[in-house]
Amino acid sequence: MSLQTTSTPADFEALAQTDLSGTTCVVLDILRATSSMITALANGAEQILPVATIEEALAAKAEHPEALLCGERNGLRITAAQTGGTEFDLGNSPREYTAEMVAGKTLITTTTNGTRALRACVNAEHTLVASFLNLTATTDYLRTAKPSRLVIVCGGTYEEAALEDTLAAGAIAESVWDLFDECDDASQAARLLFASAPVEETLPQAKNAQRLLSLPDLAEDVEHCLQSDRYPFTATVAANGMIQRNA
Ligand code: 3SL
């Protein structure tokens, strides 16, 4: 059984071309894509379609006219100027995904890295969407499922590794460490970071956290995404590409 961690968006293309049969991927984009998805599902969103580009989001909206268009570029809600006329309904702040906004709805979302990371796992046998908000539910699932190959896919910040994703990858690696007889150095490094760096003190030092904390409208997102195990469910990508909440 093997454990691997990918750290940057530079890994997405190779991952998409890798044979991922028999592989479980866990996708993390702590600030903020996967935290927003888990919050939306917790607040009753029926399903979420992650797509890589604005064009794909608009095409999916034509197929699902009732769906909400969600996501960001440069951290901000996508505007009509970026789409040729269509305003997106929601940005990428988890605090926007209230029950009032999303209960019973299908969401289509595109973000800078998080949704690209999810699309890179398209050939995986199972793909889970994880965050600190549902970390223990995710690791409990993995401990029961015992996948023969686990790939933890970090979204990163722009083209770089992200401290917050590496911390969460380390938390997952630590929780399942004894299940695997092979692991790569990126998993080991993430695990060692998690063991030595308390999440609540370390995460706000991340580059993306610093950027969000400097923006009055988005600063509270950091505290929201830092919450551990607020939601006791896993989320997986179904065969039709939609992310759904399990129980
Ligand atoms: O890259 C992403 O997927 C986003 O989560 C980045 S941001 O926090 O919305 O800027």
Side-chain angles (χ1 to χ4, degrees), residues 29 31-34 72 74-76 92 111-115 155-158 208 211-212:
D29 190 302
L31 296 174
R32 297 164 291 167
T34 58
E72 58 71 34
N74 292 315
L76 302 176
N92 193 32
T111 69
T112 307
N113 287 352
T115 59
T157 298
Y158 293 109
N208 203 13
R211 186 181 61 92
L212 293 166

Side-chain angles (χ1 to χ4, degrees), residues 64-79:
H64 303 274
E66 74 297 347
L68 296 179
L69 279 171
C70 311
E72 58 71 34
R73 286 298 179 269
N74 292 315
L76 302 176
R77 184 170 58 82
I78 296 164
T79 63

